[in-house]
Amino acid sequence: MKVAIFGTGYVGLVTGTCLANVGNHVLCVDVDARKVERLNAGEVPIFEPGLDEMVAYNRGEGRLRFTCDTAEALAHGGLIFIAVGTPPEEDGSADLSHVLSVARTIGRQLERPAVVVNKSTVPVGTAVQVRATIQAELDARGADIDFDVASNPEFLKEGAAIEDFNRPDRIIVGAEREDTIATLRALYAPFNRFRDRLLVFDTRSAELAKYAANALLATKISFMNEVAGIAERLGADVEAVRHGIGSDPRIGWQFIYAGAGYGGSCFPKDVRALAAMGREGERTPQLLGAVEEVNNRQKRLLFEKIRAHYGGDLAGRRFALWGLAFKPGTDDMREAPSRVLMEALWEAGATVRAYDPAAMDMTRSLYGERSDLQLAAQANEVFEGADALVIQTEWHIFRSPDFELIRERLKAPVIFDGRNLYDPAWLARQGFTYYGIGRGTRTP
């Protein structure tokens, strides 16, 4: 098929590349000329394992191209994806200005029948808005062109996006017209061979399913962090509790790890947007507000533990920090817990020496050069002169470190573990003071 994709951000670029990789001819369009120039030069502007190689291969095969020319994109084919950003407004609702701008462009320049697919995460009712916007532009120029608008939300995890696209748990299509459903079924056939994963809903239900999925996963995280606080006060170990409940198949093992809170581009934004949609009705959502409140509190928890350990005096202290991205496998630092921690430490007069396998350049772009932040070239270079080690992201390289080296290089053997990577009792026997999440404090 010939596919046009508006937007070369995370979703648009992964979607376009994976569709090209199974034989489709994909033309991605973006208003950012510099980004398009970089992509055409083979430079991928986001970090996602395996994406660089896949983009290069499909560009070389002539199946994946990038342009700023919207008319060229619309002339390319009759399947048009909208994959632009929907950033949050001040009240938490999603900003649809980019989505509707694309819809207006489609209406002004469309010259052939088309299926327009909303891939962006959008509020319920957006498909109706997009359809009305396109139709208004067609009417304004007296054009009678058949088109349909479908919803096809993405369920990609950063750090595993290619695997998620190629082997999806489900493919949700929101559409009413049989020809539109048939077109999208054919497009996704290469990813739907083992068993039928394609679910067909109305557009409103498809749009809501995306928000509901992310909000439920965020709820599980905040629930476990709430349980971790209770465990700590009662002298229990939240890791034992996790095993106790995760073995129940009704609950399962995923997203029940206590930690320093969630971040990223999806969970925080989508929880707020779903709550904003709920406030439009007669009932104010109660649970979603609590999920966000618990998460905001959790992001400050490590700082509070650090401040309490040092009696409130952090001025002049240095902290070694492992992990800057909001999760492993990405360089994304949007709403990352590490940012909350670092900014609190700086405000208290402390300095940070940090390392992350992927997010160093992103950290530089966010904070620039500053005297209270040093970025180490290697993981083991963060310890010298540091008062303690703090873990914020559970990268694999942090899971089995050289504890003897850590103890030798830190001023004092103290670890604040925001991801519960280590065994508290074992570390205490090795001479460490250990703070976990929901696991109390262990001392030698």
Side-chain angles (χ1 to χ4, degrees):
M1 293 186 177
K2 292 185 176 181
V3 182
I5 297 182
F6 280 75
T8 60
Y10 190 86
V11 173
L13 187 55
V14 171
T15 298
T17 304
C18 289
L19 289 175
N21 201 54
V22 295
N24 298 292
H25 290 263
V26 180
L27 181 56
C28 295
V29 59
D30 202 290
V31 297
D32 187 337
R34 173 60 183 146
K35 182 188 287 188
V36 169
E37 182 183 336
R38 291 172 64 191
L39 286 164
N40 279 324
E43 184 181 346
V44 177
I46 62 173
F47 177 84
E48 179 63 34
L51 186 60
D52 293 54
E53 296 84 354
M54 192 178 286
V55 169
Y57 172 71
N58 285 284
R59 282 184 63 252
E61 293 292 313
R63 291 193 299 266
L64 180 63
R65 296 187 294 120
F66 304 94
T67 184
C68 291
D69 188 337
T70 55
E72 180 190 8
L74 291 171
H76 173 72
L79 193 51
I80 304 161
F81 278 79
I82 300 176
V84 295
T86 53
E89 300 275 20
E90 288 187 10
D91 63 355
S93 61
D95 177 2
L96 289 178
S97 60
H98 302 304
V99 171
L100 296 179
S101 176
V102 173
R104 284 190 291 272
T105 298
I106 294 171
R108 290 167 186 164
Q109 298 181 336
L110 190 66
E111 297 292 345
R112 58 185 293 176
V115 175
V116 178
V117 184
N118 275 334
K119 197 70 174 173
S120 302
T121 300
V122 293
V124 175
T126 300
V128 175
Q129 285 185 263
V130 169
R131 182 180 288 108
T133 302
I134 295 172
Q135 189 62 58
E137 295 294 339
L138 290 173
D139 292 343
R141 61 189 179 98
D144 183 16
I145 300 173
D146 182 48
F147 75 97
D148 193 22
V149 177
S151 175
N152 176 219
E154 55 84 16
F155 296 94
L156 306 176
K157 298 187 296 292
E158 292 190 45
I162 293 174
E163 176 71 15
D164 287 344
F165 198 99
N166 289 335
R167 295 176 177 81
D169 297 317
R170 73 284 206 200
I171 303 164
I172 292 181
V173 169
E176 284 78 29
R177 283 174 46 167
E178 289 300 323
D179 57 340
T180 297
I181 295 167
T183 297
L184 290 171
R185 189 178 292 279
L187 178 72
Y188 282 112
F191 312 98
N192 196 33
R193 291 173 60 84
F194 179 69
R195 61 177 174 83
D196 191 2
R197 299 176 175 88
L198 195 137
L199 307 173
V200 179
F201 304 156
D202 61 276
T203 56
R204 288 178 177 270
S205 298
E207 290 162 344
L208 183 57
K210 166 65 176 181
Y211 282 104
N214 278 352
L216 181 56
L217 296 176
T219 300
K220 291 182 73 173
I221 294 170
S222 281
F223 175 81
M224 281 307 294
N225 283 331
E226 193 83 311
V227 170
I230 296 171
E232 201 151 293
R233 288 190 292 274
L234 299 180
D237 185 343
V238 75
E239 276 294 285
V241 176
R242 180 177 68 83
H243 282 85
I245 66 175
S247 55
D248 185 332
R250 297 171 301 174
I251 297 171
W253 294 101
Q254 293 187 316
F255 292 88
I256 59 169
Y257 288 87
Y262 61 77
S265 63
C266 294
F267 285 8
K269 174 175 70 72
D270 292 353
V271 167
R272 293 176 200 137
L274 185 57
M277 281 184 266
R279 288 193 295 271
E280 294 175 3
E282 297 179 357
R283 296 180 60 184
T284 300
Q286 302 294 317
L287 179 59
L288 296 172
V291 169
E292 184 176 19
E293 181 182 346
V294 169
N295 191 58
N296 290 338
R297 185 180 67 214
Q298 202 71 15
K299 287 182 178 182
R300 286 191 58 86
L301 182 59
L302 273 188
F303 173 74
E304 299 299 340
K305 288 176 177 284
I306 292 169
R307 182 166 61 179
H309 177 83
Y310 294 103
D313 181 17
L314 299 180
R317 295 191 181 275
R318 173 184 289 181
F319 293 93
L321 176 61
W322 272 354
L324 295 163
F326 85 94
K327 60 177 277 188
T330 181
D331 64 347
D332 195 342
M333 291 182 64
R334 284 173 285 187
E335 304 211 34
S338 65
R339 298 178 64 175
V340 176
L341 173 66
M342 288 193 296
E343 290 164 15
L345 289 172
W346 295 333
E347 187 176 352
T351 62
V352 174
R353 186 168 174 80
Y355 174 78
D356 186 284
M360 305 292 266
D361 289 341
M362 184 62 67
T363 304
R364 291 186 185 96
S365 69
L366 287 170
Y367 293 112
E369 297 295 328
R370 48 187 301 159
S371 60
D372 49 11
L373 173 64
Q374 294 97 44
L375 297 177
Q378 297 181 355
N380 287 338
E381 292 180 5
V382 300
F383 307 128
E384 290 295 343
D387 291 272
L389 170 64
V390 186
I391 296 100
Q392 277 280 24
T393 313
E394 63 276 29
W395 288 93
H396 282 283
I397 60 167
F398 302 150
R399 295 190 179 190
S400 186
D402 185 341
F403 287 106
E404 183 175 343
L405 177 69
I406 295 173
R407 186 174 56 235
E408 288 175 357
R409 293 190 178 179
L410 291 177
K411 287 183 178 179
V414 182
I415 295 177
F416 296 89
D417 184 357
R419 299 298 172 185
N420 288 343
L421 295 184
Y422 309 132
D423 181 345
W426 185 87
L427 279 178
R429 291 195 297 271
Q430 307 309 307
F432 285 88
T433 297
Y434 176 87
Y435 293 87
I437 305 294
R439 313 192 76 180
T441 303
R442 293 298 183 98
T443 55

